[in-house]
Amino acid sequence: FNKASILLFEKNFSQAEVEFIRVLKKAKINENERMIYDCYLGLGMALRGVNNNYAAIEYYNKAQKQTNKLKEDKQYKLLKAQPYNYIAIALQKEGKFSEALVSSKIALNIDRFKDYDPTFYCYLINTYSYSKFKLGNESCLKDFYETLKIGDSLGNIHIQLNSKLNLAEFYLKKNDHIKAKDYSIEVL
């Protein structure tokens, strides 16, 4: 599994896919339900990496179904929400923002992640709000600033960059080139 994860991190998506399939076969034989879940997510990410978004969604759906076997896991609610967030991201890549919004909302409604996992909460909100933005709902601006504030307080560079990128795109669409440029520069 570690080798597959490293290949995924290095964006060697086809080799990562091969490794996740190899590990998945072993996990099924050993009835390692958590590893099966993790492999389904990894396969989804590898396929999304090569823009095979619908195949990725199939694996994210398998991961979501797999959570029924993980109810005793301490991270159960996070595990339940994660595939929905990844499905939303894949749908966004396909330009299906209304469907992505629905999937994001399901993830957000699973629990109050903001109370105990603010990092994961920010990922969910950024995905949800980006779909709102692409659908013309300007309430996303408040969410982008909220996640930026949380990212700043956590010192989480990934959240900060994602929020600033979303803000830059928002202001660019609003023809506020100065703010768009400022946020773009901060991302670089």
Side-chain angles (χ1 to χ4, degrees), residues 1-12 16 19-20:
F1 184 81
N2 291 338
K3 181 179 179 182
S5 297
I6 290 168
L7 289 165
L8 186 64
F9 178 77
E10 291 178 344
K11 299 187 186 316
N12 188 341
E19 282 299 312
F20 279 122

Side-chain angles (χ1 to χ4, degrees), residues 70-185:
L70 300 172
K71 290 181 180 175
E72 300 303 314
D73 193 297
K74 291 178 184 177
Q75 295 182 304
Y76 172 70
K77 290 181 179 179
L78 183 137
L79 299 175
K80 186 105 176 130
Q82 204 166 18
Y84 288 112
N85 192 51
Y86 287 139
I87 288 167
I89 292 168
L91 289 167
Q92 286 174 342
K93 287 187 171 244
E94 293 295 325
K96 298 195 176 283
F97 299 105
S98 294
E99 293 174 44
L101 195 64
V102 171
S103 189
S104 294
K105 189 68 172 169
I106 292 169
L108 281 165
N109 286 336
I110 288 173
D111 204 7
R112 293 192 43 83
F113 295 107
K114 184 177 184 179
D115 295 340
Y116 64 90
D117 194 340
T119 299
F120 186 60
Y121 169 77
C122 286
Y123 292 134
L124 294 176
I125 286 292
N126 270 332
T127 303
Y128 177 72
S129 299
Y130 188 76
S131 290
K132 286 195 318 188
F133 162 64
K134 293 304 253 181
L135 292 168
N137 183 337
E138 293 189 12
S139 70
C140 64
L141 184 61
K142 176 182 71 82
D143 297 335
F144 292 155
Y145 278 116
E146 177 190 16
T147 58
L148 178 57
K149 183 178 177 182
I150 294 170
D152 286 345
S153 71
L154 296 172
N156 187 308
I157 293 169
H158 186 265
I159 292 170
Q160 293 167 330
L161 293 176
N162 193 0
S163 299
K164 289 175 183 179
L165 188 61
N166 289 341
L167 286 164
E169 190 174 343
F170 176 88
Y171 284 116
L172 185 61
K173 185 172 182 180
K174 288 294 182 192
N175 291 320
D176 187 336
H177 298 286
I178 293 171
K179 282 187 180 178
K181 180 180 176 188
D182 289 344
Y183 282 112
S184 295
I185 289 171

Side-chain angles (χ1 to χ4, degrees), residues 33-34 36 65-73 76:
E33 304 301 344
R34 175 62 189 263
I36 292 168
K65 288 177 187 155
Q66 184 68 14
T67 60
N68 294 328
K69 298 177 182 177
L70 300 172
K71 290 181 180 175
E72 300 303 314
D73 193 297
Y76 172 70

